[in-house]
Amino acid sequence: MPKMDAILSSKSLHYFLQLIDTMNYTQAAQILGITQPALTQQIKKIEHAIGTPLFGQMGKKLYLTEAGKQLQVGAIKLLGTMNSVVSDIQEFTQADRGNISIGVLESVNCEWLQKFLVKFNQKYPDITINLSCFNRKDLWYNLDNNLIDLAILYIPDVAKKSQASLNNQYEQMKINDERLIILTHLANLEAGEAYPISTFTKQKWVAYPDGFFLTQLMKEKFESRVNIKKKLDISMSFSSTEQLVATAIATNYDTFVSHSYYQAHKNDINLTPVFLKDDKKFLTSIVYRKGKKDVPRVANILAEFKQFLPK
């Protein structure tokens, strides 16, 4: 018996399915660009390999046997799988098409990102970008489990990943230096100056929810420099920076945001911006698993990021 893998090749299965489409050897052979005897011989080889007829004939009309029907189902699935695999491989190896998933930490100011993605899409219209916002826990889960290609977040993220872990498992690209800025109602403070945390112990706050990076920074600052009995007194919480700032402006509550957010919106904010003395500096970075740059489209978008950011 002929070797099964030699007989049931993608070409022979393609011939078989083409004959099913026309149920006519002459027409099928013409479409395939081969002679009718060559097509007939190929079908007979498949039937010989399987050990049963695939086609029957009533008068001049062909029909599929039960074996032929079963092979038809299998051939369609097999060729579909092969085509899908080839498509995936081609997509993986091409820099100008495919999908890229980006996760963004909810409190990160990424107004520049929309401008970048518009320019990137104009240059690479066949790359589909999927952008989602996450809290810190979900963002790391998606990054760890390869559900997103790139994450935009604050580094160091001391509540989740040590810098050593980041260096071992991930790579990162710096976007900009960051700093926490307090927006206060206190009239005796000068904009742009730095004050000790004790200045704000009597203030009430509108803040990001627990677990957000900036809220964590403020809580750590309170607990490390102020009597432990004095906690950060949060009256209202919002995950949206816009709602957070608008509520602070409409109440007597102070708030805190990233310096980059304040710089982008300072003309609309009538609160006094001040810094904390001895505060922690941090970065906004693009973080991705090691090996991601081996995917051409990911390497492509990172290269475009690098060119765009200085602008």
Side-chain angles (χ1 to χ4, degrees):
M1 181 177 289
K3 289 184 178 180
M4 190 67 68
D5 57 354
I7 298 303
L8 297 181
S9 64
S10 60
K11 183 172 80 170
S12 65
L13 293 177
H14 179 58
Y15 287 177
F16 167 67
L17 293 176
Q18 185 60 61
L19 181 55
I20 293 175
D21 285 345
T22 61
M23 283 299 183
N24 183 289
Y25 275 96
T26 302
Q27 291 180 17
Q30 289 175 345
I31 293 171
L32 293 167
I34 61 175
T35 64
Q36 181 178 329
L39 176 58
T40 302
Q41 183 182 28
Q42 191 67 55
I43 298 300
K44 288 187 180 298
K45 283 182 179 180
I46 299 175
E47 290 177 332
H48 183 56
I50 293 175
T52 186
L54 300 173
F55 295 90
Q57 192 162 346
M58 294 183 62
K60 293 184 178 181
K61 292 186 178 180
L62 291 178
Y63 67 89
L64 270 179
T65 64
E66 288 303 314
K69 291 177 182 178
Q70 291 185 41
L71 183 59
Q72 179 187 23
V73 173
I76 290 172
K77 287 183 178 179
L78 181 59
L79 291 178
T81 300
M82 292 174 65
N83 289 335
S84 177
V85 169
V86 171
S87 177
D88 288 345
I89 291 173
Q90 289 176 338
E91 182 177 294
F92 181 87
T93 57
Q94 292 179 346
D96 60 351
R97 63 185 64 248
N99 297 301
I100 298 176
S101 295
I102 302 174
V104 182
L105 191 66
E106 287 172 319
S107 56
V108 169
N109 176 43
C110 278
E111 296 180 25
W112 56 270
L113 185 57
Q114 185 267 341
K115 296 178 181 179
F116 168 78
L117 292 178
V118 168
K119 289 182 177 295
F120 186 80
N121 176 256
Q122 291 170 347
K123 190 171 182 179
Y124 301 101
D126 292 326
I127 294 181
T128 301
I129 302 293
N130 302 305
L131 182 69
S132 301
C133 292
F134 298 97
N135 61 39
R136 184 175 55 207
K137 180 180 177 182
D138 290 341
L139 181 61
W140 276 113
Y141 175 86
N142 279 270
L143 191 60
D144 284 338
N145 289 278
N146 206 30
L147 299 175
I148 55 176
D149 298 303
L150 307 172
I152 298 176
L153 68 163
Y154 296 132
I155 297 295
D157 191 350
V158 293
K160 171 63 181 178
K161 297 283 181 182
S162 69
Q163 193 64 36
S165 176
L166 275 169
N167 291 337
N168 289 333
Q169 301 178 44
Y170 299 92
E171 295 184 73
Q172 57 181 293
M173 177 188 295
K174 172 184 170 182
I175 296 174
N176 62 282
D177 295 300
E178 270 294 3
R179 191 177 182 183
L180 183 146
I181 192 167
I182 291 177
L183 303 177
T184 183
H185 292 271
L186 293 173
N188 60 331
L189 303 187
E190 292 188 28
E193 295 298 316
Y195 295 88
I197 191 67
S198 56
T199 307
F200 306 98
T201 55
K202 296 181 180 180
Q203 298 302 101
K204 290 183 177 292
W205 302 85
V206 53
Y208 294 106
D210 280 346
F212 275 57
F213 183 83
L214 298 184
T215 299
Q216 187 69 26
L217 284 184
M218 278 293 287
K219 285 187 172 182
E220 288 178 0
K221 196 72 173 175
F222 258 70
E223 292 172 3
S224 65
R225 297 299 176 91
V226 181
N227 187 315
I228 194 66
K229 295 180 181 179
K230 189 66 179 178
K231 302 284 188 177
L232 186 66
D233 190 355
I234 299 176
S235 298
M236 302 179 72
S237 297
F238 295 94
S239 59
S240 164
T241 307
E242 289 79 6
Q243 290 179 332
L244 184 119
V245 172
T247 302
I249 292 173
T251 64
N252 290 323
Y253 304 144
D254 286 358
T255 192
F256 44 87
V257 296
S258 67
H259 186 239
S260 63
Y261 181 87
Y262 175 74
Q263 286 296 100
H265 298 272
K266 60 184 179 181
N267 292 335
D268 301 317
I269 299 175
N270 59 4
L271 301 176
T272 302
V274 297
F275 299 104
L276 288 174
K277 279 189 176 179
D278 304 316
D279 59 349
K280 288 184 178 179
K281 308 296 193 302
F282 51 97
L283 303 175
T284 305
S285 297
I286 302 169
V287 177
Y288 48 94
R289 293 171 66 90
K290 286 191 173 180
K292 273 293 177 182
K293 284 198 296 188
D294 294 336
V295 181
R297 63 182 178 277
V298 175
N300 187 6
I301 197 170
L302 288 171
E304 295 290 335
F305 265 129
K306 194 171 184 179
Q307 291 183 19
F308 176 84
L309 289 174
K311 300 176 184 178

